[in-house]
Amino acid sequence: MQDHIKKKSAALAAAALVTASLAAGSHKGPLSGRADIKVTTAHAVSAGSEIAGVKTEAAGGWNEMLYIVVSGITGADVTGVSYSGPTAGTFSADDLEYLVRDTSQGVRVDIPGLKAGVYSVTLSTSKGSFTQSSIKVTAQDRSGYAHFKYTDGVGAYTDSGELKPNAKVIYVTDDNKDTVSVTSKDGTTVTGIGNILNSAGQDVGGGKTSNGSTVVNTNSDIIRKLAEDGTPLVIRIVGNVTAPYGLTAYNATDFGGLKGDNGFMARMKSGKDITIEGIGPDACINGWGLHFICEESAPDLGKSFEVRNLAFRNVPEDAIGMEGVQVNGEVTASVERCWIHNNEFYVPNIANPAESDKKQGDGACDFKRGQYFTNSYNYYEGYHKTNLVGANDSNLQYNISFHNNYWKDCAARGPMARQANIHLYNNIYEHQTDVGQDSRANSYFFSEYNLFENCDDCTVIKSGGAIKSFNDAFVNCEHETTGTVVSSKNQSFSNNNKFPDFDTNAELSYIPSGDYILETDTTKLKAEFEIDGGTMDEPVFGSDIIVDIIPGDVNSDGEFNIADIVSLQNFLLGNENALAALQAADFCGDGVIDAFDMALMRRALIEK
């Protein structure tokens, strides 16, 4: 049975009656910290009214985005969406078209680009207005080298989770993939996501690509133009998107391809501040992949690249690759600030590969000739060539983090690295059939609190490589670490890397200062990955919705302060029709909002 929160006052007899769902056992008194409240009947209400037959089936926040699923209406009934909290906004026409979708459980609304905090979402519908409050949105884990000494925000989002100013957003579905367009400041318009992203296939003069092919696309250097304009670019993948027109060709130079490659790649040259992200739990790049490239003609570009919340399936060549340019032992165009996180990679099975060793693709996620790269919270299943760092022994790439990833039933390259300094922590290796960590050619790994379970060769060291292992766990493994096991993470370690003390020198990394989230109980890693790893999970229907309440935070901005006192006072005086979080105002715990709650709220703020 649900409790009811009411606003009552003898002096305000005409005030509107407002109901909200609360469960028994919710917060009972003055501020005492954060409280989780179960919304048992989980229907949301607007100021003074409910919509008959309409209720919230699921709601939640995750990694600076949120969702709600509402039954009793269809997507066509929704005429507007607004949200309030630490970030506030309303949907544009494109947002309404692509972020509001019909599902078997009801209308699903996704809202990306949010600061962490507590939110209310209001749907304007043909049946009336409908609000779900108290949705907690969590911040993303920005631990790792991609963000080390960098505050500009990797990709098209700021470090607080919101879109950067002037960002352009393109929604891509399987239906519109060849008709979407983007325009640069000089008026250049390119149509089709394959043409937009694959700048390797552009006409560089005389109707030919840079490698001489006469089969070009219409990229018109749009990726570089947007970067030079200072325009961040967000590609939002909605649903299952198969290969668009304009990608590199199979085993040919058409559209900027190469002989020996399986093709279907979008090779983005000289981009900046690009995020490619999935919307909801079903976003999939199916049958194509992405390369992010820094080139000598624009060495200041090829920077700030993010891929998140995407499943990669049936990828012919690579799923994701990042690459710079190196000449005579010097990286002349360094790909930098790349953050690949919360994705899922499933091994392909290619019937007719261009080269025999590419039957299972040519890498899930590779990094070559650059620096400041974070690979985190990704799930890799069944891959043979998983993560290559450095294409050969002379390639240079530095300042790299692999954390909270899960390799399951993979063969090798977790990662295989050359000439690189890499921090690996809280990763899971399950049934690695060949080699997990593979350190070669003067690369230096600092490995801590990783879990190896039922693996063959957990680590391999070749040609001057080195691994320092601290509290790694080995369960039923045939060959445990060949690295040096240390009793203190601050212990110095002799190696031939360019940065031999990166793990103990605070000027070179975040490790000595402990500026990262580290789980020191490796038995918890699998359970934590189930919650935080991979792509967004499908909602669990038929159970209670968990919403997070900060007592006193009636405006749902994530903190309790004087602004909440003002909001409650206005509400009680009838100057404010609704509170973003009614439950947060019930300091007495009696299901009634009145002057007694105001008094306790004031006292709690003074004590705070």
Side-chain angles (χ1 to χ4, degrees):
M1 176 181 294
Q2 68 174 2
D3 296 328
H4 293 281
I5 284 186
K6 305 170 186 177
K7 177 179 69 176
K8 69 176 184 179
S9 170
L12 295 172
L17 183 68
V18 180
T19 61
S21 302
L22 275 180
S26 59
H27 183 68
K28 297 288 185 183
L31 182 68
S32 60
R34 187 179 297 263
D36 288 330
I37 294 180
K38 283 189 175 183
V39 182
T40 53
T41 52
H43 72 272
V45 295
S46 57
S49 66
E50 299 180 5
I51 305 176
V54 178
K55 67 175 183 177
T56 301
E57 297 291 348
W62 179 81
N63 279 8
E64 293 155 16
M65 58 184 75
L66 66 78
Y67 69 89
I68 61 172
V69 180
V70 179
S71 64
I73 55 174
T74 68
D77 292 320
V78 180
T79 58
V81 176
S82 63
Y83 48 95
S84 61
T87 303
T90 59
F91 273 16
S92 68
D94 276 355
D95 296 333
L96 276 174
E97 181 174 358
Y98 297 108
L99 296 180
V100 179
R101 295 184 285 167
D102 288 311
T103 72
S104 59
Q105 297 288 340
V107 175
R108 180 183 174 104
V109 179
D110 286 280
I111 306 179
L114 303 175
K115 290 182 180 180
V118 182
Y119 284 84
S120 292
V121 179
T122 298
L123 307 184
S124 299
T125 81
S126 58
K127 298 182 178 182
S129 182
F130 181 89
T131 299
Q132 173 66 57
S133 299
S134 304
I135 304 173
K136 181 186 176 184
V137 172
T138 55
Q140 299 195 81
D141 179 2
R142 287 179 169 80
S143 302
Y145 262 122
H147 296 87
F148 179 59
K149 293 185 176 181
Y150 189 73
T151 58
D152 291 346
V154 175
Y157 290 91
T158 67
D159 280 346
S160 64
E162 297 176 302
L163 280 175
K164 292 179 179 178
N166 305 314
K168 287 185 178 289
V169 177
I170 303 175
Y171 291 99
V172 180
T173 69
D174 207 42
D175 291 333
N176 75 2
K177 63 189 176 187
D178 294 325
T179 58
V180 295
S181 65
V182 67
T183 301
S184 58
K185 288 182 179 179
D186 68 359
T188 301
T189 298
V190 176
T191 300
I193 198 62
N195 293 325
I196 292 168
L197 296 181
N198 185 30
S199 50
Q202 67 179 302
D203 182 351
V204 295
K208 295 182 179 181
T209 62
S210 58
N211 60 7
S213 173
T214 58
V215 183
V216 301
N217 62 27
T218 56
N219 176 271
S220 301
D221 214 12
I222 193 70
I223 290 294
R224 181 168 174 170
K225 287 181 177 180
L226 292 172
E228 291 172 341
D229 289 345
T231 302
L233 179 64
V234 183
I235 308 297
R236 290 178 174 166
I237 302 295
V238 182
N240 180 59
V241 179
T242 56
Y245 177 82
L247 304 177
T248 62
Y250 168 81
N251 197 27
T253 59
D254 298 352
F255 301 109
L258 298 171
K259 289 283 189 178
D261 280 356
N262 291 328
F264 297 99
M265 297 300 303
R267 292 178 56 81
M268 295 168 277
K269 292 185 175 181
S270 297
K272 188 176 182 182
D273 293 338
I274 295 177
T275 289
I276 301 177
E277 63 180 348
I279 296 298
D282 60 340
C284 179
I285 285 186
N286 190 342
W288 53 297
L290 310 163
H291 276 171
F292 186 71
I293 300 169
C294 183
E295 53 184 341
E296 282 193 286
S297 62
D300 293 333
L301 302 178
K303 310 288 190 285
S304 186
F305 178 57
E306 177 189 22
V307 182
R308 64 175 179 174
N309 196 39
L310 282 167
F312 288 83
R313 297 182 182 274
N314 306 310
V315 178
E317 183 69 20
D318 296 347
I320 303 174
M322 294 141 284
E323 54 192 275
V325 178
Q326 182 173 324
V327 178
N328 297 326
E330 179 183 354
V331 177
T332 54
S334 172
V335 64
E336 294 181 4
R337 304 295 178 181
C338 299
W339 184 26
I340 312 302
H341 64 106
N342 290 103
N343 302 290
E344 298 180 1
F345 301 84
Y346 298 92
V347 65
N349 186 9
I350 302 165
N352 182 33
E355 293 182 349
S356 59
D357 67 344
K358 294 183 177 181
K359 182 176 177 60
Q360 294 181 322
D362 195 35
C365 184
D366 298 344
F367 188 79
K368 309 165 190 173
R369 302 176 293 278
Q371 60 180 340
Y372 298 112
F373 169 50
T374 299
N375 188 304
S376 57
Y377 296 96
N378 296 301
Y379 176 74
Y380 300 95
E381 182 177 292
Y383 260 90
H384 171 57
K385 299 178 179 181
T386 314
N387 304 113
L388 176 66
V389 177
N392 56 49
D393 284 358
S394 63
N395 271 193
L396 304 174
Q397 42 280 312
Y398 296 106
N399 303 326
I400 295 166
S401 303
F402 281 81
H403 69 84
N404 296 95
N405 300 294
Y406 194 154
W407 290 272
K408 185 174 183 180
D409 297 327
C410 294
R413 300 186 180 182
M416 183 181 81
R418 305 168 170 104
Q419 307 289 356
N421 59 306
I422 303 180
H423 183 207
L424 301 109
Y425 61 93
N426 287 168
N427 298 293
I428 303 166
Y429 301 82
E430 182 179 348
H431 193 222
Q432 197 86 358
T433 59
D434 192 350
V435 177
Q437 299 175 1
D438 192 341
S439 177
R440 305 185 183 190
N442 301 324
S443 65
Y444 174 33
F445 293 6
F446 173 45
S447 174
E448 60 171 337
Y449 294 102
N450 299 290
L451 172 63
F452 296 83
E453 191 174 84
N454 297 308
C455 295
D456 189 356
D457 287 314
C458 298
T459 66
V460 166
I461 299 171
K462 296 181 180 179
S463 59
I467 298 175
K468 183 174 95 172
S469 174
F470 177 67
N471 283 333
D472 289 325
F474 304 91
V475 179
N476 196 33
C477 295
E478 188 162 340
H479 303 98
E480 297 184 0
T481 184
T482 55
T484 299
V485 178
V486 297
S487 56
S488 169
K489 67 189 301 177
N490 299 319
Q491 183 175 327
S492 60
F493 186 80
S494 178
N495 62 87
N496 298 318
N497 189 258
K498 180 181 178 180
F499 302 107
D501 62 340
F502 86 95
D503 54 326
T504 58
N505 186 338
E507 290 300 310
L508 297 177
S509 78
Y510 51 87
I511 301 170
S513 61
D515 189 20
Y516 59 108
I517 300 170
L518 182 66
E519 175 57 70
T520 57
D521 184 350
T522 54
T523 65
K524 295 180 179 178
L525 291 180
K526 282 191 174 182
E528 291 179 355
F529 190 89
E530 284 294 317
I531 297 170
D532 299 322
T535 59
M536 177 184 280
D537 292 332
E538 289 279 0
V540 177
F541 297 99
S543 61
D544 294 345
I545 300 172
I546 304 299
V547 295
D548 193 78
I549 303 300
I550 299 174
D553 181 25
V554 300
N555 62 6
S556 285
D557 65 355
E559 60 179 312
F560 173 42
N561 54 33
I562 189 64
D564 298 295
I565 297 286
V566 173
S567 290
L568 181 56
Q569 178 174 290
N570 286 335
F571 178 67
L572 291 174
L573 292 173
N575 298 327
E576 195 167 319
N577 289 329
L579 296 176
L582 283 166
Q583 298 95 325
D586 187 22
F587 268 63
C588 294
D590 60 359
V592 175
I593 294 180
D594 54 20
F596 296 104
D597 295 297
M598 171 66 80
L600 289 175
M601 190 173 178
R602 287 178 184 273
R603 189 175 75 185
L605 186 59
I606 291 170
E607 291 173 355
K608 180 184 176 184

